[in-house]
Amino acid sequence: MTAASPRLLTTLRTGLFGTRANTLVTVATLLLLSQTLPPLFRWAVLDATFSGNATSCTREGACWAFVTAKLRFILFAFYPPALQWRPSLVILLLAAILTASALPRLWGRTLLIAWPLTILACWLLMQGAFTSTPVASNQWGGLPVTLFVWAVCFAAATPIAVLLALARRSTLGGFRTFSVLYIELMRGTPMVAILYVAMLILPMALPDALSLDKMLRAIVMITLFWAAYIAEVIRAGLQAIPSGQHEAATALGLGYWRTQRLVILPQALRIVIPGMVNLAIGFLLATSLLAVIGIFDLLNAARASAADPQWLGFYNEAYLVVAVVYFVICFGASRYSRWLENKLTAGARRP
């Protein structure tokens, strides 16, 4: 037993049974788990069907044969099966750029250039550009669409949000008024309404010669919508910076933009890391609303897979697969947020 083991046991004992309230909560949780875990294990393992067809499955246990048969559809929806290497490559590219963006040592101009290049490559891959078999956006769906919309909209909304947050704190009345009206209007509008605007109103507002794809219209409106929420989180970080930081930068002869870029924004963004990650997780889950305008995200593809007449009704298994995917992404994001916050805080305290 290592030296850390006694401390861990002491922490667990104190946290679980340290007070009367903790003891009651622990006992109640154990009772709840004893009532729910055995039936769940029986449904998921003991009575489950792991191979065969729909007639082989019983309603008493899980039908994992359905997951095996429909996993490709859940992940890629109506994308042509022979070309599914393209959305698979899109997932890998997005995972690579997100991983690179998560490492502070890679932050810099190269990463800023890599983002638009990666987005363009993903779009061309999904479209089937430079090949004899182009794929319309109506056939896109599943996990690549969820990750693509989420990553593109959040990445594009963040710089817009920074400008909105700075404008809301500006001494210039026109910029401040515009920022306040924009943020409050967007935050007071449901995302479903924003998607309907992208689907129905935006095409009528565009010139006849300009026709945007449905996916592009959704990305543009979601980006503008999310920017309002991110702006408020960033504004909270800006307000937390002491005024002495501004005064010291001014005394050194730094202009407004250099002060913001070199002094204020790095500190403000470090403060709001937990809030930004919390928004990112919420936005990822909100991509399921794309179903209202006919875009098959991961959740909608799973729902459609269980509506197949050959596999009708296996919604529990389909939603469980989606839940696992969402949980892995969201849990990883939350752990990364804690790691990054600790790393940046330690760097700030280092003399």
Side-chain angles (χ1 to χ4, degrees):
M1 182 177 293
T2 63
S5 298
R7 291 197 298 270
L8 178 61
L9 293 176
T10 301
T11 302
L12 290 175
R13 184 169 57 249
T14 303
L16 297 176
F17 304 101
T19 64
R20 183 176 299 177
N22 286 356
T23 302
L24 290 175
V25 171
T26 301
V27 172
T29 303
L30 292 175
L31 289 175
L32 179 63
L33 292 176
S34 67
Q35 296 297 314
T36 56
L37 288 183
L40 180 62
F41 181 77
R42 188 180 306 111
W43 175 82
V45 179
L46 299 181
D47 297 335
T49 302
F50 294 92
S51 61
N53 51 30
T55 58
S56 305
C57 298
T58 63
R59 295 299 175 180
E60 287 75 18
C63 184
W64 301 123
F66 160 80
V67 175
T68 303
K70 304 298 291 185
L71 183 60
R72 278 179 174 266
F73 185 87
I74 294 173
L75 293 179
F76 304 116
F78 297 104
Y79 208 91
L83 304 176
Q84 287 179 356
W85 61 269
R86 294 176 184 169
S88 300
L89 185 56
V90 167
I91 294 175
L92 293 177
L93 287 175
L94 291 174
I97 192 66
L98 289 172
T99 302
S101 302
L103 301 176
R105 67 175 180 272
L106 298 180
W107 293 350
R109 185 173 301 176
T110 303
L111 188 61
L112 292 177
I113 298 174
W115 261 101
L117 293 178
T118 302
I119 292 171
L120 178 61
C122 291
W123 181 265
L124 294 177
L125 279 170
M126 293 296 289
Q127 277 193 326
F130 311 114
T131 65
S132 59
T133 54
V135 181
S137 61
N138 290 334
Q139 295 178 273
W140 302 5
L143 184 58
V145 167
T146 294
L147 292 179
F148 184 76
V149 172
W150 174 52
V152 171
C153 293
F154 194 83
T158 299
I160 299 175
V162 171
L163 295 177
L164 287 172
L166 293 175
R168 187 157 187 174
R169 289 173 51 81
S170 173
T171 56
L172 301 176
F175 286 108
R176 186 173 63 252
T177 302
F178 170 79
S179 177
V180 170
L181 292 176
Y182 179 90
I183 291 173
E184 297 304 327
L185 176 64
M186 284 295 186
R187 294 178 69 218
T189 305
M191 185 171 169
V192 173
I194 295 295
L195 292 174
Y196 279 127
V197 169
M199 188 68 179
L200 303 174
I201 300 178
L202 188 58
M204 295 187 293
L206 295 174
D208 294 336
L210 181 59
S211 177
L212 288 181
D213 183 88
K214 176 174 66 175
M215 185 73 69
L216 278 177
R217 297 199 304 268
I219 288 174
V220 169
M221 293 306 300
I222 292 173
T223 297
L224 297 176
F225 180 72
W226 287 358
Y229 285 86
I230 300 174
E232 285 297 273
V233 174
I234 295 176
R235 184 170 69 93
L238 293 173
Q239 289 180 331
I241 305 301
S243 58
Q245 297 289 319
H246 295 269
E247 297 168 358
T250 302
L252 291 173
L254 298 180
Y256 175 80
W257 289 110
R258 293 189 67 190
T259 298
Q260 298 298 329
R261 182 170 62 88
L262 300 176
V263 180
I264 305 303
L265 283 176
Q267 299 180 70
L269 293 176
R270 182 172 63 243
I271 293 172
V272 300
I273 285 173
M276 293 283 284
V277 173
N278 184 58
L279 274 182
I281 292 174
F283 291 159
L284 174 65
L285 302 179
T287 56
S288 61
L289 293 176
L290 290 169
V292 303
I293 58 173
I295 295 178
F296 274 72
D297 69 301
L298 180 63
L299 183 62
N300 199 26
R303 181 166 51 245
S305 69
D308 187 339
Q310 296 181 358
W311 296 94
L312 190 62
F314 295 102
Y315 291 100
N316 292 336
E317 292 83 352
Y319 289 147
L320 187 59
V321 172
V322 174
V324 170
V325 174
Y326 279 135
F327 174 79
V328 170
I329 297 174
C330 295
F331 181 76
S334 65
R335 300 302 300 178
Y336 165 74
S337 170
R338 177 175 296 183
W339 172 82
L340 181 62
E341 186 180 9
N342 292 335
K343 180 179 178 63
L344 295 181
T345 301
R349 292 176 178 174
R350 189 179 299 126

